[in-house]
Amino acid sequence: VGWRPRRPLAARVAAAAPWRRADELSPATFSLAFAIERLIMALLIRTTLGNIKLKLLPDAAPETVRYIQGLAASKLFDGTSFYRSDFVIQCGLHGSGKTNPHGDLAVNETHSHKQVSNSRGTASIAHWDVPDCGNSEFFINLQENAHLDQAYGGYCVFAKVEDAESFSVVDSIAAAVKQAGKVPITAIECVS
């Protein structure tokens, strides 16, 4: 039997205890899972108009959060763009020539955990007209969009804009996309 690399600590804990409640975990496992959860609690979206910090919501959408973190960690979003601006700004692989080697997310967590409504500043994963999936596209709501909580099975909220500076960048992107058609993303990173 040859040597094989160990999975990252976060992946091993997630596999052993995927975002369970504290009363379902041993104290040691809970402490480790809590520490890891606190290490990577945000996404930093770097654009040509400034940065957006999204606070991740693992209590509302644990599998979706892990999926988006995995896409960001694999640098899949680097060099893509925000390309839509109406009631949301949307980004992903659309028009980039890239394909998602990870495949689609096979679950829609909109109604599975603590439900968070699609309100201004929340980020949701996009999906096809089939409700039980998600793809490499996601959007940030520019206004209250409660109708998206139910449309096509619901659009699962996995994060929210964290601060006023980020909101300002979101609004700048919305205006720029309406005028120029897209705003480039230089990178999306997992940060603490």
Side-chain angles (χ1 to χ4, degrees):
V1 177
W3 177 86
R4 42 176 206 186
R6 292 183 67 171
R7 290 185 298 166
L9 181 59
R12 294 193 315 265
V13 170
W19 303 105
R20 294 185 182 142
R21 296 187 330 258
D23 61 343
E24 296 176 325
L25 300 172
S26 71
T29 303
F30 176 73
S31 295
L32 184 58
F34 182 77
I36 290 168
E37 177 182 334
R38 295 294 173 238
L39 289 176
I40 302 175
M41 287 302 294
L43 290 179
L44 184 64
I45 304 172
R46 297 183 186 278
T47 78
T48 56
L49 294 180
N51 299 335
I52 302 168
K53 192 168 186 182
L54 294 178
K55 180 181 180 195
L56 297 171
L57 304 172
D59 290 342
E63 290 183 52
T64 306
V65 165
R66 279 192 295 257
Y67 178 74
I68 293 291
Q69 285 176 322
L71 297 179
S74 69
K75 306 211 178 291
L76 192 65
F77 295 114
D78 296 9
T80 61
S81 299
F82 280 100
Y83 62 86
R84 176 182 179 183
S85 175
D86 41 21
F87 55 95
V88 302
I89 57 172
Q90 187 165 332
C91 67
L93 302 184
H94 175 79
S96 71
K98 294 183 176 185
T99 58
N100 181 358
H102 307 286
D104 288 345
L105 181 64
V107 64
N108 181 341
E109 298 178 288
T110 301
H111 306 290
S112 302
H113 306 282
K114 175 184 168 189
Q115 186 173 355
V116 178
S117 184
N118 279 276
S119 58
R120 175 167 162 74
T122 57
S124 298
I125 192 163
H127 59 73
W128 312 113
D129 294 345
V130 179
D132 289 331
C133 73
N135 60 38
S136 57
E137 304 282 317
F138 68 89
F139 57 86
I140 300 172
N141 289 288
L142 297 173
Q143 63 189 34
E144 301 299 316
N145 289 317
H147 67 283
L148 296 178
D149 297 341
Q150 303 300 325
Y152 300 110
Y155 289 85
C156 182
V157 173
F158 69 89
K160 63 182 179 179
V161 174
E162 188 161 276
D163 52 41
E165 185 177 326
S166 294
F167 266 110
S168 178
V169 174
V170 165
D171 292 335
S172 295
I173 289 171
V177 168
K178 283 182 182 176
Q179 188 174 48
K182 66 180 181 177
V183 172
I185 295 171
T186 54
I188 297 182
E189 305 164 7
C190 298
V191 297
S192 56

